[in-house]
Amino acid sequence: MTTYQLTPRSADESAAICSRRGFLGKAAGFGLIATATGAPTLTYFVRSKGAPSAAPLGEWFASTCQGCTTWCPVQVKIVDGVAVKVRGNPYSAANHGEICPRPHLALQQVYDPDRIKVPMKRTNPRKGKDEDPAFVPIGWDEAMDLLAERMMQLRRDDETHKFAVFRGRYTYLRDVIYSALPKIFGSPNGISHSAICAEAEKFGAYCTEGFWDYRDYDLENTRYVLCWGADPLASNRQVPHAISIWGKVQDQAEIAVVDPRLSITAAKADEWLPVMPGEDGALAVAMAHVILTEGLWSREFVGDFDQDGGAFVAGELVDEASFAEAHCHGLVKWWNLELKDRTPEWAEKQCGIPADQIRRVAIGFAKAAPRAISWVSPGASMQARGGYAAMAAHALNGLVGSTDNLGGCVQKTKVPADSIPDLAPYQDEIAKKNSKQKKIDQRGTLAFPSLKSGKSGGGVVTNNAADAILNGDPYDIKVAIAYWANFAFSCSDTKRWEKALAKIPYFVHITTHASETSHFADLVLPAAHQMFEKWGFLKSKQNLHGYSTLNQRLIEPMWDVKQDETEVPWMIAEKLAEKGFSRLLDYYRESFADPESGTQPKDGAEFSLSALKLLTRPCWDASHKDYGKYGDRLNGWKDFLAKGVWNSHRYEYKSRWKKFKTKTGKFEFYSETLKAALGAHAEKHGTTVDKVLEATNYTARGEQAYIPHFEPALRWGEEGEFPFVFVEHRSRLNREGRSANCTWYQAHKNADPGDENWADVVKMNPVDASRLGLKQGQEVSVISPVGELKATLKLWEGVRPGTVAKCFGQGHWAYGRVASLDYQKRIPFGGNNNQILPAEYDRLSGSTARHGGVIRVKIIST
């Protein structure tokens, strides 16, 4: 296993790094081509001043922050062509015109001298972490010619399905590159990052109320917030809205946080429940037991016994015929199969939370209903058996009638947008045939149902693509493009991705920075920064409003960057056309005419803007059938550009109560929806549902498969050798894990409870440290059955005894001179959690299992 020694930077070294950012205020300076070779190449750049701005203090322009999936509307202050400040967009109904810390860090990202500045070509044919890629700068024309020739060889060999596009973060222009490019070329392989980000939490809401998406929360009117691993003040979406309204929430509501770590939200809560990682399901079903035995369920939403005297009594079966259901299905069946024996006393032994506290929180939550929120997050769901925990925690919303209700947990308002034009007429016979091949990530196989929206293989299994590539199953990948993705850092058990990327004969990485993934590329292409240099749009929700928000090209890029989702595929299409395959370019030209002028795009820049206008027409074009139907009536394209955001109507409570998109049309405690999905997957493979559950590492059998239930935590490592359960969490400063090369990130890392500035710490309870004779500030090795990392030990009472916690985001051995300890020698600053996390999954959803204490570790002083 690979190990690294972490030497904390001195104050002088940190100050020196900060001083390098002084170039921001200068008209000219020196930058670096970010390479993984020997001494970096110095490149001189001069900022184009142009004419002085009309307003001496600058002007504000709209764009979007993509530091998390809330995708907040923002405004950027531009002074003489330079972005100098970011604030919330005052036209946004969702975030009150406020932002969190993340958008500010984007200013350091866009002007980072470590950005890739020109296309780079690999000259060393050998690939590996210890190999020097020997990148050399080339022009865009040469880069596109090299890529197009490799792609054309696949067409000549009738192997177009062996081409793949790997997508990380994106805008809603994504389908230009992610869908149209591979499908017209002839491949099924548009592979998204989604399963390493979420999916398991969506599984819970889908199986109970037929909604596969993130939920929204009525914080303004709530009286109880129960967070399952959620940290709304720091991560898990809606952070600006939560920050701005949390004082009101504290004044009017009780707050309880289920988390083995004292998060920012837990520190401001009335109740902290430091659950044993992976045992959230036990806690959730025990709370449901209490709510029913105390008679606190919602009669309006759930229903009631036909006759007086009916009750749920611990340990006793209930006659299903005696209970008249209202807007739910299968409550009594859920009780009889699971809940009747799940007492708080039973749960205390499983999850480590005192029975009295379980009872107190459950009763408080139910009495506040319907103004109560059970907020499910990745922490409680991205576990090896997390799908059912997500169901159980979300089912509490149904039990107390808070789902789709005032002060509760709701779905979303419609944000209209058009899809990319029909591409089928542009597919030739090769494309039609090969785009129907199996996808490379093995979704839909017996062991990976990935039941997005109830369809076998409907969702992605991102992390498994590495194993599929290594094993050549279902086939080899010969040419691949990845954009806005760093799977060699962000996927668990990273060495698998290092080997898989090294195996791909021709790999292209489109990125702002030379990352771990770039190290294995044959071409590294410089990408435009999403907030300042790129056209796009996003759809999201907060504060019971949906919205469409624009990314805009607000500054002239300092370097030779291109827009990843539009300009780059356009240039690929041009080169393919030169070599005899014109269908992709024909599609882009003929199908993406400017909706105002009718003019076909002539180059990638025009194509970017035409595509954006075409897909957002419902928000601004009065002639569109959906214009004004769901929200704002913007006065044309220029009005949309100026405001930067379209807002939906406010969510209407109870709008789903009689039309949940489940098999029964009701909120399902016994999920006929999941039963149908599992049955279809079993039939597809000629087996039984029990065999599917066995193949996917669940313990449930029979009818229990269709209800929210307790599943024991699945962990790697024996307790005797690896005594600590590892807890991973997110930083309020992480811009999707891409902040580590920003000095502001490092200088303010103690904004995350328990963390330290300019350091990477693993947090241990002092009780455990005393037992082991470990001291504050020691350098330690964190060793799991998978790998090892180095970090600094922090003794902290905010982590449950028997566990250790570490924030994700540090441990880069590439990405820049701040993110890494020694960029040339590929020595990381701190440790990447994914070096010690296993490639484990919640297989029903396809989600990576990175939470729930999926790995045990030991801590050794170095």
Side-chain angles (χ1 to χ4, degrees):
M1 61 183 69
T2 302
T3 63
Y4 298 104
Q5 178 66 44
L6 169 61
T7 303
R9 293 188 174 98
S10 68
D12 289 342
E13 289 173 319
S14 298
I17 292 171
C18 288
S19 71
R20 292 203 290 266
R21 296 310 188 267
F23 87 102
L24 285 172
K26 301 177 183 177
F30 286 91
L32 284 151
I33 293 177
T35 74
T37 60
T41 304
L42 283 171
T43 307
Y44 189 75
F45 62 82
V46 179
R47 191 184 72 206
S48 177
K49 294 182 180 179
S53 61
L57 297 181
E59 296 180 79
W60 292 94
F61 297 92
S63 193
T64 303
C65 174
Q66 290 190 253
C68 74
T69 51
T70 303
W71 298 329
C72 284
V74 300
Q75 288 185 334
V76 180
K77 190 174 187 178
I78 307 294
V79 178
D80 292 341
V82 179
V84 299
K85 191 174 183 179
V86 183
R87 70 183 183 188
N89 189 329
Y91 294 105
S92 171
N95 66 351
H96 317 279
E98 304 290 346
I99 53 176
C100 75
R102 292 183 179 88
H104 302 293
L105 293 170
L107 291 167
Q108 286 202 323
Q109 290 179 323
V110 71
Y111 293 119
D112 188 346
D114 288 345
R115 281 184 66 178
I116 298 291
K117 297 171 175 63
V118 296
M120 306 291 288
K121 179 177 72 173
R122 185 186 200 93
T123 60
N124 179 4
R126 298 185 302 276
K127 294 183 180 181
K129 184 176 179 179
D130 296 326
E131 291 288 344
D132 182 346
F135 288 123
V136 297
I138 60 174
W140 276 98
D141 187 71
E142 180 183 352
M144 293 298 98
D145 191 73
L146 290 168
L147 172 57
E149 182 54 38
R150 291 286 186 148
M151 294 176 67
M152 288 302 295
Q153 188 60 51
L154 292 182
R155 288 197 66 84
R156 289 190 286 269
D157 295 341
D158 193 16
E159 292 184 328
T160 55
H161 57 290
K162 297 182 179 181
F163 169 75
V165 174
F166 293 103
R167 183 192 80 191
R169 187 50 63 216
Y170 56 85
T171 77
Y172 275 78
L173 293 183
R174 61 194 178 187
D175 286 342
V176 170
I177 184 172
Y178 175 71
S179 180
L181 172 56
K183 288 177 181 176
I184 292 175
F185 180 72
S187 173
N189 289 312
I191 306 298
S192 168
H193 79 291
S194 300
I196 65 170
C197 181
E199 302 313 281
E201 63 174 282
K202 300 175 186 176
F203 180 86
Y206 177 77
C207 294
T208 50
E209 59 178 275
F211 180 65
W212 189 283
D213 204 340
Y214 305 121
R215 280 75 54 214
D216 202 350
Y217 306 95
D218 189 9
L219 293 175
E220 181 179 359
N221 296 299
T222 195
R223 296 295 182 268
Y224 207 106
V225 182
L226 174 58
C227 293
W228 295 90
D231 191 5
L233 298 180
S235 61
N236 196 233
R237 306 167 193 95
Q238 305 203 7
V239 177
H241 172 49
I243 289 174
S244 65
I245 202 171
W246 209 253
K248 184 177 189 294
V249 174
Q250 287 182 293
D251 289 342
Q252 70 186 22
E254 294 290 308
I255 302 167
V257 175
V258 180
D259 198 321
R261 174 187 67 100
L262 187 69
S263 65
I264 296 172
T265 306
K268 296 178 180 294
D270 300 282
E271 299 267 6
W272 176 36
L273 296 84
V275 67
M276 190 64 183
E279 306 293 354
D280 307 79
L283 182 58
V285 296
M287 287 186 180
H289 174 99
V290 171
I291 291 169
L292 290 175
T293 55
E294 295 290 332
L296 296 175
W297 72 88
S298 169
R299 270 65 176 176
E300 178 190 16
F301 184 76
V302 176
D304 204 354
F305 288 96
D306 287 332
Q307 299 180 3
D308 292 340
F312 294 96
V313 179
E316 294 185 9
L317 294 171
V318 172
D319 181 3
E320 291 184 42
S322 69
F323 195 92
E325 295 177 327
H327 300 286
C328 77
H329 171 78
L331 174 68
V332 174
K333 190 169 290 187
W334 184 28
W335 169 264
N336 289 338
L337 289 170
E338 175 70 11
L339 298 183
K340 66 182 178 63
D341 299 317
R342 301 309 194 194
T343 65
E345 290 72 22
W346 165 84
E348 178 176 352
K349 298 174 184 178
Q350 300 293 331
C351 68
I353 302 300
D356 288 346
Q357 189 177 26
I358 296 173
R359 188 170 283 106
R360 181 173 66 248
V361 171
I363 290 173
F365 174 79
K367 285 187 174 180
R371 299 189 183 202
I373 296 168
S374 180
W375 190 323
V376 184
S377 78
S381 57
M382 290 183 72
Q383 305 173 3
R385 295 165 178 156
Y388 287 110
M391 284 180 69
H394 185 70
L396 298 179
N397 290 304
L399 199 55
V400 301
S402 65
T403 189
D404 217 47
N405 208 344
L406 176 71
C409 174
V410 303
Q411 294 189 9
K412 65 178 181 180
T413 53
K414 184 174 178 62
V415 178
D418 283 341
S419 301
I420 61 171
D422 183 19
L423 54 79
Y426 294 87
Q427 290 181 300
D428 62 11
E429 291 307 311
I430 290 177
K432 290 177 182 177
K433 177 187 68 173
N434 288 343
S435 63
K436 295 178 182 178
Q437 296 263 8
K438 295 178 180 179
K439 288 180 180 281
I440 191 61
D441 61 342
Q442 299 178 341
R443 68 185 73 180
T445 57
L446 178 62
F448 287 107
S450 193
L451 299 173
K452 179 180 179 180
S453 299
K455 179 183 176 182
S456 173
V460 66
V461 193
T462 311
N463 202 16
N464 192 57
D467 293 309
I469 292 170
L470 287 171
N471 296 326
D473 181 11
Y475 42 76
D476 290 324
I477 292 294
K478 293 188 173 180
V479 180
I481 298 172
Y483 82 95
W484 211 344
N486 188 12
F487 293 163
F489 178 84
S490 60
C491 287
S492 54
D493 195 357
T494 55
K495 61 181 177 291
R496 300 159 40 259
W497 276 98
E498 294 172 2
K499 294 175 182 177
L501 293 171
K503 182 185 176 186
I504 298 173
Y506 206 77
F507 174 58
V508 179
H509 195 207
I510 312 172
T511 179
T512 58
H513 289 71
S515 70
E516 288 77 7
T517 296
S518 309
H519 188 76
F520 302 91
D522 296 276
L523 287 176
V524 181
L525 304 178
H529 191 282
Q530 63 82 22
M531 190 188 293
F532 309 100
E533 301 172 332
K534 174 179 174 178
W535 291 105
F537 78 104
L538 287 307
K539 300 193 299 180
S540 193
K541 55 188 172 294
Q542 287 182 85
N543 191 25
L544 277 66
H545 287 277
Y547 51 91
S548 180
T549 174
L550 292 177
N551 307 75
Q552 298 197 50
R553 190 161 210 170
L554 304 178
I555 62 174
E556 194 63 32
M558 300 172 71
W559 301 297
D560 193 12
V561 303
K562 302 294 182 184
Q563 299 173 69
D564 45 19
E565 294 175 318
T566 50
E567 284 189 290
V568 174
W570 175 276
M571 291 188 293
I572 293 171
E574 286 183 318
K575 279 297 178 183
L576 290 173
E578 289 179 15
K579 295 177 182 295
F581 180 73
S582 65
R583 287 176 177 262
L584 184 62
L585 184 60
D586 291 342
Y587 172 70
Y588 288 159
R589 279 180 175 161
E590 296 168 5
S591 302
F592 288 85
D594 186 297
E596 288 187 300
S597 68
T599 305
Q600 292 184 358
K602 297 185 293 294
D603 55 35
E606 289 187 6
F607 176 58
S608 301
L609 198 52
S610 292
L612 175 60
K613 293 168 73 173
L614 190 68
L615 271 58
T616 60
R617 275 188 60 218
C619 294
W620 59 268
D621 187 347
S623 68
H624 194 281
K625 63 181 178 63
D626 288 335
Y627 174 77
K629 186 184 296 185
Y630 304 104
D632 288 349
R633 302 176 67 86
L634 296 173
N635 188 24
W637 173 248
K638 290 184 179 179
D639 192 30
F640 195 13
L641 276 182
K643 290 188 172 76
V645 62
W646 173 96
N647 301 290
S648 77
H649 299 306
R650 187 173 171 84
Y651 190 88
E652 295 181 10
Y653 303 117
K654 300 184 180 181
S655 58
R656 305 292 194 276
W657 273 29
K658 293 185 179 180
K659 48 184 178 182
F660 288 109
K661 292 184 178 180
T662 58
K663 288 295 181 181
T664 62
K666 295 184 174 185
F667 191 101
E668 295 181 345
F669 297 117
Y670 179 92
S671 182
E672 302 287 355
T673 303
L674 178 56
K675 187 175 187 176
L678 283 172
H681 183 73
E683 183 178 357
K684 172 182 172 180
H685 292 283
T687 189
T688 65
V689 170
D690 280 356
K691 290 295 184 181
V692 170
L693 292 170
E694 181 181 351
T696 53
N697 291 329
Y698 281 94
T699 63
R701 298 292 184 269
E703 291 282 88
Q704 198 177 33
Y706 315 125
I707 58 171
H709 67 268
F710 163 71
E711 287 272 340
L714 187 155
R715 308 197 200 282
W716 287 46
E718 295 297 325
E719 185 174 1
E721 183 179 359
F722 302 98
F724 291 99
V725 176
F726 185 75
V727 175
E728 179 180 86
H729 65 93
R730 293 294 183 266
S731 169
R732 69 190 313 183
L733 303 180
N734 271 357
R735 287 183 53 79
E736 297 280 16
R738 299 176 177 89
S739 306
N741 210 51
C742 299
T743 56
W744 291 344
Y745 173 87
Q746 302 291 355
H748 298 283
K749 194 63 179 66
N750 64 2
D752 298 312
D755 281 6
E756 298 288 341
N757 297 339
W758 292 101
D760 190 24
V761 303
V762 58
K763 298 174 281 288
M764 176 185 287
N765 193 286
V767 172
D768 293 323
S770 176
R771 177 170 49 83
L772 296 175
L774 296 172
K775 304 296 183 183
Q776 174 84 357
Q778 279 185 281
E779 296 306 307
V780 295
S781 294
V782 183
I783 304 170
S784 81
V786 173
E788 180 177 350
L789 61 80
K790 301 287 188 181
T792 302
L793 185 65
K794 173 69 178 287
L795 306 188
W796 190 50
E797 294 86 352
V799 62
R800 180 186 174 87
T803 71
V804 292
K806 186 174 175 298
C807 190
F808 171 76
Q810 303 275 40
H812 282 283
W813 51 265
Y815 220 80
R817 292 164 292 174
V818 178
S820 58
L821 193 62
D822 189 320
Y823 194 11
Q824 294 181 13
K825 296 180 181 178
R826 295 176 286 283
I827 300 175
F829 178 56
N832 178 7
N833 294 354
N834 285 314
Q835 290 176 243
I836 64 173
L837 287 171
E840 187 55 85
Y841 306 87
D842 172 67
R843 294 168 183 260
L844 294 186
S845 66
S847 173
T848 290
R850 57 187 318 113
H851 298 295
V854 70
I855 197 79
R856 287 186 167 276
V857 299
K858 56 185 174 183
I859 310 295
I860 298 176
S861 176
T862 59

